[in-house]
Amino acid sequence: MEKIILLALSGSLRRCSYNTATLEALAELAPEHIHINIGDIGSLPLFNPDREDESIPEVSQLKAAVGESSGLIIASPEYAHGISGPMKNALDWLVSGEEFLYKPIMLINTSPRATHAQAALTEVLTTMSGNVVEDAYVALPLLSSGYDKSGILNDLQCVDALATALNRFVTYINP
Ligand SMILES: Cc1cc2nc3c(=O)[nH]c(=O)nc-3n(C[C@H](O)[C@H](O)[C@H](O)COP(=O)(O)O)c2cc1C
């Protein structure tokens, strides 16, 4: 089976982030031919269009990781009804490049009540010509669960929801 490389980005920098834990769990439960890289957006500088022509290693690494992937998986929290700052910052660095265009995107929401940020994120990603795959959307009620990666992997409902969404997502992928 042809190998599929996906890039997963968490919008939370929190040490015990549910979003990051979910991406780590997904990377572990993915079948062998699907490789999920977890990207780092926490060390990106604040977006400044004046710096877009500079060679900034963190930005170059992010763009390269996006370019090498056949699709993106984004799990990002809601803060004050908005997209998390780190995620919006990362996306702004990707706006003017070629790497992001038309990428299939799977969205994971670890807090189903957080509808504002998901709607805003979908709008931003679509405006950037990303291909948000609605069939692959997954919402998991993890808030207050206390779950880390292992907690998620030990919860059959979570595993089933994530595996089903990932299976749907890869049907949209051209490796
Ligand atoms: C400053 C702040 C603002 C928040 N605002 C919202 C909000 O508007 N809506 C919501 O559903 N949750 C809100 N939350 C809850 C977070 O989305 C929630 O804690 C989430 O789990 C954080 O993601 P993480 O576990 O990956 O760090 C907020 C949390 C913080 C710290």
Side-chain angles (χ1 to χ4, degrees):
M1 218 176 253
E2 195 152 5
K3 199 172 174 81
I4 295 174
I5 297 174
L6 303 175
L7 177 67
L9 298 176
S10 169
S12 173
L13 306 184
R14 207 165 64 84
R15 196 165 15 91
C16 298
S17 159
Y18 292 118
N19 286 286
T20 307
T22 302
L23 295 177
E24 290 169 352
L26 186 63
E28 207 154 300
L29 64 80
E32 205 163 322
H33 71 288
I34 301 176
H35 184 77
I36 300 178
N37 286 325
I38 302 194
D40 169 34
I41 62 170
S43 45
L44 290 168
L46 287 178
F47 177 65
N48 179 348
D50 289 343
R51 300 191 66 193
E52 283 197 288
D53 293 332
E54 275 181 42
S55 172
I56 303 171
E58 293 83 358
V59 175
S60 306
Q61 275 160 22
L62 175 66
K63 288 186 173 182
V66 172
E68 284 158 14
S69 72
S70 302
L72 301 180
I73 303 171
I74 295 181
S76 193
E78 174 166 296
Y79 293 142
H81 286 187
I83 301 172
S84 86
M87 180 55 66
K88 184 64 170 69
N89 186 53
L91 294 174
D92 285 344
W93 280 114
L94 294 169
V95 166
S96 54
E98 300 283 299
E99 300 82 3
F100 182 89
L101 296 175
Y102 315 118
K103 285 281 172 198
I105 301 165
M106 168 174 167
L107 290 179
I108 299 176
N109 186 355
T110 57
S111 171
R113 74 175 191 203
T115 55
H116 300 278
Q118 284 300 310
L121 188 55
T122 303
E123 174 67 20
V124 169
L125 295 168
T126 307
T127 301
M128 292 170 64
S129 300
N131 171 19
V132 177
V133 176
E134 278 181 34
D135 274 357
Y137 174 74
V138 58
L140 300 172
L142 294 186
L143 227 58
S144 313
S145 68
Y147 282 179
D148 56 7
K149 177 183 77 172
S150 304
I152 296 167
L153 288 170
N154 285 326
D155 184 315
L156 287 182
Q157 281 186 337
C158 287
V159 168
D160 186 49
L162 288 169
T164 302
L166 183 63
N167 276 337
R168 288 195 188 133
F169 185 51
V170 293
T171 64
Y172 289 79
I173 300 278
N174 289 317

